Amino acid sequence: MDPLPKNIVRTMCPMNCHPTLCGMLAEVEDGKLIKVNGDKDNPDSQGFLCVRGQASQEIFDNSKRILHPLIRDQRGEDTWRRASWNEALDLIVRNMEKVGHEAVAICPGHGTAANNFGLMFNVQLMQRFANLYGCQFLSGVMVCWGLGGFGLALTGTMETNTKEDMAENAEMIVMWGANIASQPNTARHLVAVKKRGAKIVSIDVRRTETTAQSDDVFLIRPGTDTALALALMHVIINENLYDGDFVTEHTSGFEELSDHIRDFTPAWAAKITGIDANRIEALARQYAATGPAMILLGGSSMIKGSNTWHAARAIACLPALTGNFGVAGGGFGPRHGGAGHGRGSGNIMAFDQRLPGNYVADQMSEITDAICDGRIRVLLMMGSNMLSSYADSGRLADGIDGTDLVVSFDLFMNETARRFADIILPATAWLEELGCKATNTHLYLMEPALTPAGEARPMHDVLIGLAERLGVESFYPWASQEELIDAVLDHPSTGPATVASLRASGGIGRLKVPDVAYPTHQYQTPSGKVEFFSSRAEQIGLPSLPVYDDRSDLSYPL
């Protein structure tokens, strides 16, 4: 890798399109950003930078960017006045102390991960603050892939194979709600799969860029993925197409599953999904007979409905039935929020010091209830826009309007801030502070290229200011942001790497993780096996086996 000119800074795109994260080169002259380009030396993106990444340079010198703390004394009126950081932080702390720590909530958004997605040290730092102070922490995963992750986790199948393994070894790819337009770094590997003759099947609710490249396309009715997966299992089990050795050695609950899927015939699923029964049968036979076969789950679209954790549960059973876990080219391929075997990071969240209290469950409906009934009275929105992310936004808006204080820490005025914020704090952009991102295979150091605009501050400075005023001890024990990043990098899968070691290697480091998930067939369940039958689900009052939740008779079935 050739050294860069002095005015070129290697960084990453601020968009969080995981599993696609793209390398970026920022050209700077006289302290100003001139342009951004894709980084051809980035092993993941290889020079690709989409239109969103290219447009990110418009953040800088933008006349609408927030550059100073702002306060308005009357919510609902567009009468903002400039304030000092001290005044803004003091006002926040007075309100936090007035309502008590359990009535304070931190709501993180994707904006705080612009320079650390994959390591998520900003989210870890917010969680650390919430644990040590004893306030609510409203995890953002349920806005994104949380329901799907829940279904996969109950089954014990969270790990993913790499895109490189997919390109080299998969003989069949099932793109289930996944679109290469939102995974451009996966796209070229999918092309490689097709060139060597492997089959590509798409299951989606509409025609996409991926369906155009597929050998077979199944257009399914929205919200009926569970029914299709159950019917596929019906065929695989009833026709003895499953891998008996794998099922015996590495799964539990097969007998219960076999009884459970008896009535879920392709004919039954055809009426629900809109896919002909004979096509469902053919897909099941092809998937079971073609090895290795890999499923790529859609990042968020498929798991936005009310019954979608069941879909993830049901689909997760398919690779286990066919013996596709723990093999090259099998299992699950790259997906949003996915990670390979052994991949991880250092933990700075201090969960062992979490103060006892009445904490709101990380579900949209529970959070909205807590805001509406007054359990949450001070809302700290850190890079988030709740009204654009949460369901039932009208009711949520009414609840937010009744809170004592709303704070927005962001680059621009978003809808929630414009309507309800009392204080707005200016945030730094990704080129204005040190960062580090991680894909499923690599680490990327993000050196600062610009000085912070106006009075913008990084998020850790804001939390430090609050912690000092509130008397939260040991919140930030690191001497610098570099030390904090080193603490998060302190994990076997990174090397462990440090900021200094990444800097010495040109800002790019390879993770020490295998290309194949579950190489030892140890699954993340109490039994250590893939669990068709989940006792954990049963213990909390949920179905122990995947079920199709028919909501077609509701006014809003999705």
Side-chain angles (χ1 to χ4, degrees), residues 84-99:
S84 69
W85 270 99
N86 282 336
E87 181 187 3
L89 293 176
D90 288 345
L91 179 57
I92 295 170
V93 168
R94 284 200 299 272
N95 278 270
M96 292 171 72
E97 291 177 332
K98 181 181 72 173
V99 302

